[in-house]
């Protein structure tokens, strides 16, 4: 336990400290992408842990991104307000559709959220006057906090890292609390849990809304960081990225997607020269994980630890 | 005595099948109420109607003066009507203690007076669970994995979990099935203890000796229809009941 805390503090210190030791724009850029990806993947992980594969997560990120962008660009809302608003709007949407969507399980939920996601992307594409269509929106202003514009890469890194940290912390706290016990019980035996007085839907909707909230916030940072939005960034494939990150890192723990994001996000950048092999590498990694590490890297590490203890 | 739990014209049809057909009865507070009937008579379906697992085709369930028909199972449970299942229903991968602790915790989530921290809840769950396990004489197995328990103990664990929610009414669906004669006798003793704690019991059971010895009144169902309602001695002498059970595997003790 204490060892675990030491390791966690060390990793946190490294995540915060390295940009001061190593000033490399390129690596910092990847760092921002990883931090954003951790936020979205840990959010998806919350849904996976309640047994619901939500394909809507990518669309949620898009809704957060466009909300923040439009609030800032069209209405002149300061980023400091547009940022939380993007998370809250997505949470509200999740809370509104949740009671309908979360009534169904398994394949049906996957299909419903898939259709929802496609619908949202279609809206981004077709409602040109508002969302800019397939040309997207250019020249999104940099995020500004308290009147000072965030221009340095490093400030984005810390902002995105902070959000990733809060998301991770929230996920851990939720699943370690009494609420986590309820969620696990629902997962294991819904009829029994319900017969003991738990309303399954309300708990699931709450998790859906929390996952949507953080994903929306991640979308906002993404928009103002890249300065450019186009609908295809929030397509089905961006959901697949989040899912692969979870599967390879490990679904059973909130740290799984953290490890997954750190390993997988840099890949497309590293493989830039051999672009045609990118999907292949992805596929091979996924295949290896599914065959040899069914519980992901975190699951594999746990297994190692168990064997080590059993010696 | 006032009407405590009341069923009025309760019916459930599955396609053409009348699984529960116009059942009306009134259970009094403090009464130990039995429901018997041949296989497929509609006993479990009746429980499902009372607990909101199924919506009745027609009729009402009234609990302490309130209509609870159509409420969801969790809402019914939060009002104090908690059931156990005919098949063993437990959290199989958790320990015995953990099962009961969870049951307590799930219920405590909704109790406003208990909005203390998680640790606090866990601690009271711990003591509460210990007491319940002792009451059911499962405490010696509390560290064991629930799936490793013998069938009879798994069923008792289901009862323990229901008790951990502090129900006012406990609906038990064949708690004695799978128990050995000693355990069954112990179960009879348990009913008396629960009763002295003010828990009302509705018992669905095939073990006639148990039903006849513990119940105050018994409702007999046959093909979903109530064919008799009365004290054990009245039920035993009822020609329709004898008729319904003739040729069946069940025997009236
Ligand atoms: N969900 C359902 N859909 C269709 N028919 C059902 C359903 N549940 C029960 N039935 C039918 O309703 C009738 C009553 O079943 P029920 O399980 O209530 O009987 P029971 O009295 O509990 O029997 P047992 O003593 O075997 O447990 C049976 O004919 C059964 O096949
Ligand atoms: Mg039955």
């Amino acid at each position: 336990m204490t060892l675990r805390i030491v390791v966690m503090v060390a990793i946190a210190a490294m995540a915060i400290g390295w940009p001061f030791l190593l000033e490399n724009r390129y690596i910092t850029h990847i760092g921002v992408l990883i931090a954003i990806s951790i936020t979205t993947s840990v959010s998806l992980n919350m849904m996976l842990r309640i047994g619901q594969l939500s394909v809507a997560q990518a669309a949620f990120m898009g809704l957060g991104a466009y909300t923040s962008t439009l609030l800032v660009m069209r209405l002149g809302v300061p980023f400091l307000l547009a940022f939380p608003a993007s998370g809250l709007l997505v949470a509200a949407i999740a809370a509104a559709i949740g009671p309908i969507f979360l009534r169904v399980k398994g394949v049906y939920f996957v299909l419903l959220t898939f259709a929802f996601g496609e619908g949202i992307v279609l809206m981004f594409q077709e409602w040109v006057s508002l969302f800019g269509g397939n040309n997207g929106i250019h020249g999104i202003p940099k995020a500004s906090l308290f009147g000072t514009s965030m221009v340095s890469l490093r400030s984005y890194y810390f902002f995105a890292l902070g959000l990733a940290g809060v998301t991770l912390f929230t996920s851990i706290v939720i699943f370690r609390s009494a609420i986590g016990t309820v969620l696990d019980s629902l997962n294991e035996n819904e009829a029994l849990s319900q017969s003991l007085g738990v309303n399954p839907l309300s708990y699931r909707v709450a998790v859906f809304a929390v996952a949507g909230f953080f994903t929306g916030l991640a979308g906002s940072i993404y928009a103002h960081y890249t300065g450019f939005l186009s609908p295809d960034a929030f397509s089905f494939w961006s959901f697949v990225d989040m899912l692969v990150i979870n599967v390879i890192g490990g679904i059973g723990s909130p740290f799984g997607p953290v490890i997954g994001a750190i390993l997988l996000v840099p890949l497309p950048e590293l493989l830039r020269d051999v672009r045609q092999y990118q999907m292949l590498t992805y596929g091979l990694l996924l295949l290896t994980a599914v065959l040899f590490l069914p519980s992901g890297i975190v699951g594999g590490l746990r297994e190692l630890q168990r064997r080590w203890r059993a010696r | 005595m006032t009407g405590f739990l009341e069923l009025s014209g309760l019916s459930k049809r599955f396609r053409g099948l009348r699984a529960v057909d116009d059942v009306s009865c009134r259970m009094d507070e403090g009464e130990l109420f039995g429901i018997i009937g041949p296989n497929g008579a509609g006993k479990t379906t009746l429980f499902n109607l009372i607990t909101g697992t199924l919506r009745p085709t027609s009729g009402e369930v009234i609990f302490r003066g309130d209509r609870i028909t159509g409420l969801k199972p969790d809402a019914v449970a939060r009002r104090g009507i908690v059931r156990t299942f005919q098949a063993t229903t437990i959290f199989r991968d958790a320990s015995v203690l953990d099962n009961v602790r969870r049951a307590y915790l799930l219920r405590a989530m909704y109790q406003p007076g208990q909005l203390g921290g998680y640790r606090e809840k866990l601690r009271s769950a711990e003591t509460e669970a210990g007491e319940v396990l002792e009451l059911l004489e499962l405490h010696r197995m509390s560290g064991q994995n629930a799936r490793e328990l013998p069938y009879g103990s798994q069923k008792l664990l289901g009862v323990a979990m229901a008790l951990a929610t502090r129900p006012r009414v406990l609906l038990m669906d064949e708690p004695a099935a799978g128990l050995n004669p000693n355990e069954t006798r112990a179960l009879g003793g348990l009913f008396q203890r629960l009763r002295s704690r003010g828990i009302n019991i509705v018992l669905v059971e095939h073990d006639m000796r148990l039903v006849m010895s513990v119940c105050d009144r018994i409702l007999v169902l046959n093909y979903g229809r109530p064919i008799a309602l009365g004290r054990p001695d009245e039920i035993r002498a009822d020609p329709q009941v004898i008729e319904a059970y003739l040729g069946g595997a069940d025997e009236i003790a």
Side-chain angles (χ1 to χ4, degrees):
Chain A
M1 191 59 214
T2 42
L3 175 72
R4 184 183 272 180
I5 289 172
V6 169
V7 170
M8 266 154 59
V9 169
I11 291 174
M14 252 153 50
I16 296 169
W18 71 263
F20 294 104
L21 305 173
L22 180 79
E23 265 192 68
N24 181 317
R25 288 187 61 80
Y26 184 61
I27 296 180
T28 312
H29 165 69
I30 304 239
V32 177
L33 296 184
I34 289 177
I36 291 173
S37 192
I38 287 177
T39 305
T40 57
S41 303
V42 169
S43 300
L44 174 63
N45 185 260
M46 295 183 204
M47 292 306 294
L48 292 173
R49 288 186 70 181
I50 65 166
Q52 293 283 45
L53 181 59
S54 164
V55 185
Q57 299 307 114
F60 281 169
M61 184 179 175
L63 283 168
Y66 278 100
T67 301
S68 188
T69 300
L70 293 177
L71 281 178
V72 170
M73 289 180 77
R74 294 280 175 102
L75 299 179
V77 174
F79 173 75
L80 199 61
L81 288 179
F83 174 67
S86 61
L88 288 174
L89 180 87
V90 177
I93 292 172
I97 61 174
I100 305 158
F101 283 25
L102 287 158
R103 256 170 229 285
V104 298
K105 297 209 183 70
V107 159
Y108 302 101
F109 181 78
V110 174
L111 281 177
L112 265 182
T113 48
F114 172 74
F116 173 82
E118 293 299 296
I120 295 296
V121 171
L122 202 66
M123 178 179 82
F124 293 155
Q125 287 169 336
E126 299 301 322
W127 192 347
V128 180
S129 60
L130 187 63
F131 297 106
N134 274 322
N135 293 329
I137 300 177
H138 296 262
I140 301 168
K142 290 285 165 201
S144 63
L145 293 172
F146 308 107
T148 47
S149 182
M150 285 174 36
V151 276
S152 86
L153 261 178
R154 210 196 265 165
S155 58
Y156 273 100
Y157 173 70
F158 286 126
F159 195 50
L161 185 68
L163 178 62
V166 172
T167 310
L168 181 64
F169 180 76
T170 306
S171 172
I172 292 169
V173 166
I174 288 178
F175 282 93
R176 289 230 175 123
S177 69
I179 297 170
T181 308
V182 175
L183 294 172
D184 288 341
S185 301
L186 279 174
N187 241 4
E188 242 174 86
N189 195 330
E190 179 166 340
L192 175 58
S193 307
Q194 197 173 11
S195 82
L196 296 169
V198 167
N199 180 344
L201 198 57
S202 64
Y203 277 87
R204 296 208 171 103
V205 172
V207 174
F208 197 38
V210 171
F213 176 72
F214 287 112
T215 306
L217 294 181
S220 167
I221 295 189
Y222 173 83
H224 294 279
Y225 174 66
T226 56
F228 166 72
L229 279 186
S230 83
D232 54 280
F234 311 108
S235 71
F236 177 71
W237 291 107
S238 119
F239 155 77
V240 171
D241 282 344
M242 300 175 196
L243 182 62
V244 172
I245 283 169
N246 266 283
V247 170
I248 289 187
I251 288 170
S253 150
F255 292 105
V258 175
I259 295 175
I262 292 171
L263 291 180
L264 288 185
V265 171
L267 265 193
E269 307 290 332
L270 296 177
L271 296 174
R272 212 196 285 263
D273 300 330
V274 277
R275 189 151 284 210
Q276 64 272 38
Y277 296 124
Q278 196 178 304
M279 281 319 270
L280 183 66
T281 319
Y282 237 66
L284 285 178
L285 270 176
L286 199 56
L287 197 66
T288 316
V290 170
L291 287 179
F292 301 107
L293 279 175
S295 315
I297 293 172
V298 167
L301 288 176
R302 279 192 185 148
E303 178 66 19
L304 272 183
Q305 190 185 25
R306 205 182 55 75
R307 283 196 204 160
W308 182 263
R309 289 225 178 104
R311 281 195 333 161
Chain B
M1 279 198 180
T2 54
F4 190 60
L5 181 61
E6 205 175 320
L7 313 180
S8 135
L10 208 56
S11 302
K12 180 70 187 180
R13 276 190 215 172
F14 296 113
R15 307 260 168 87
L17 176 78
R18 292 158 189 266
V20 169
D21 193 5
D22 197 15
V23 173
S24 297
C25 69
R26 184 184 259 215
M27 301 161 203
D28 294 320
E29 184 151 22
E31 184 177 38
L32 209 161
F33 196 87
I35 301 174
I36 63 172
N39 289 107
K43 306 178 295 290
T44 299
T45 304
L46 189 60
F47 270 12
N48 285 337
L49 294 178
I50 297 173
T51 57
T53 310
L54 294 172
R55 264 182 174 277
T57 313
S58 60
E60 302 285 355
V61 182
I62 294 139
F63 180 51
R64 301 170 76 206
D66 293 334
R67 249 187 85 232
I68 60 164
T69 330
L71 288 185
K72 291 270 179 285
D74 50 283
V76 174
R78 289 199 295 275
R79 289 191 176 221
I81 303 180
V82 178
R83 58 105 51 99
T84 66
F85 294 85
Q86 186 168 352
T88 66
T89 307
I90 49 178
F91 298 115
R92 300 184 59 79
D93 294 321
S95 75
V96 169
L97 178 65
D98 214 30
N99 264 272
V100 183
R101 211 163 34 188
R102 270 200 210 184
Y104 177 84
L105 216 56
L106 296 193
R107 184 68 191 84
M109 295 297 285
Y110 288 90
Q111 271 147 357
Q114 309 237 5
L115 277 177
Y118 183 43
R119 275 166 208 283
E120 206 172 297
K121 269 187 193 157
L122 261 190
R123 213 173 308 124
S124 48
E126 190 88 46
T127 33
E128 188 90 359
E131 275 171 33
V132 169
L133 285 175
E134 203 143 329
L135 187 68
L136 293 187
E137 290 167 8
L138 285 169
H139 52 288
R140 259 175 257 101
M141 309 174 175
S142 67
Q144 239 168 299
N145 217 323
R147 66 161 75 241
E148 292 163 3
L149 296 189
Y151 183 78
S153 307
Q154 289 189 356
K155 294 212 69 156
L156 280 181
L157 180 55
V159 176
M161 294 169 72
L163 284 178
T165 68
R166 299 185 168 227
R168 304 201 51 137
V169 181
L170 188 57
L171 309 177
M172 297 206 240
D173 200 347
E174 302 197 19
L179 298 191
N180 65 36
N182 276 336
E183 290 169 328
T184 305
R185 223 170 298 126
L187 193 65
L190 173 73
F191 292 151
Q192 302 309 335
R193 262 174 285 152
L194 294 182
R195 188 182 215 176
S196 67
R197 292 176 166 219
I199 297 172
N200 288 264
I201 296 172
V202 182
L203 175 67
V204 162
E205 189 45 70
H206 278 297
D207 188 319
M208 285 303 158
R209 191 181 303 222
L210 179 66
V211 174
M212 293 292 171
S213 67
V214 299
C215 291
D216 299 313
R217 282 194 305 157
I218 297 167
L219 170 71
V220 188
L221 294 181
N222 194 26
Y223 296 109
R225 288 197 66 82
I227 56 168
L229 172 64
R231 292 190 313 271
D233 53 316
E234 294 169 334
I235 295 300
R236 216 178 273 134
D238 191 299
Q240 266 193 299
V241 176
I242 296 168
E243 170 77 30
Y245 274 88
L246 266 186
D250 303 298
E251 214 176 277
I252 301 192

